Amino acid sequence: MNRWWILALVGLAFGCVSNEKMIAAAANGETGTVLEAVDDGADLTFRSRAPGGRGDTALSAAARNGHRNTVEALLRKGVKPGDQPEAIVAAAEGGHDSVAQLLLDNGASPNALLPSEVAGGEVRSPLGMASLNGHR
C-alpha cells in the first residue's frame, strides 16, 4: 500500500478529508458542497493542512475569493467571524468589500490581527492588507 493511501485512510479516520473538501469547496464558491460537508460532520473551525496552503478555514477561503453566498451560508451554520480573524483580513486583502461588510455586520472586528503563526511570521490587519494590495 503506498503512502498516499495510508494518508487518505488516516484522514478518513480523523475526519480530515471532509474538512479539506469543505475548505476547497468554499474556496471555489461551491456552497452546496460546503453545506453537505457540514451536514456530514465537517468541523467549521478546521484549518487546512494542505501542502502550500494558508491554513484557511472554510470562512476565510470563501472570503478570500469573494464568495458572498458561501460566506452567508457559513454564517447561517453558526460560524462566528469574530473567532476567525483571518476571514476579514482575507476579504480585505482581496478587495471584496461586500464580503468584508457582511463579516463586519456579523461580528468581525475591523481591528482584527492575524496571529503571526497564521500569517507566516507577520502580523496582518484588514486595513494593512487592503492598502498593501491597492484596495480602498
Side-chain angles (χ1 to χ4, degrees), residues 33-76:
T33 304
V34 170
L35 294 175
E36 285 175 19
V38 172
D39 291 343
D40 288 343
D43 178 0
L44 292 170
T45 63
F46 181 83
R47 292 186 189 285
S48 177
R49 297 182 185 120
R54 297 178 175 215
D56 272 331
T57 62
L59 185 64
S60 63
R64 177 178 319 288
N65 294 300
H67 298 302
R68 184 182 171 96
N69 290 340
T70 305
V71 170
E72 288 173 336
L74 288 164
L75 294 173
R76 284 192 303 273

Side-chain angles (χ1 to χ4, degrees), residues 1-8:
M1 181 178 286
N2 74 33
R3 67 184 171 136
W4 295 112
W5 278 105
I6 294 168
L7 288 174

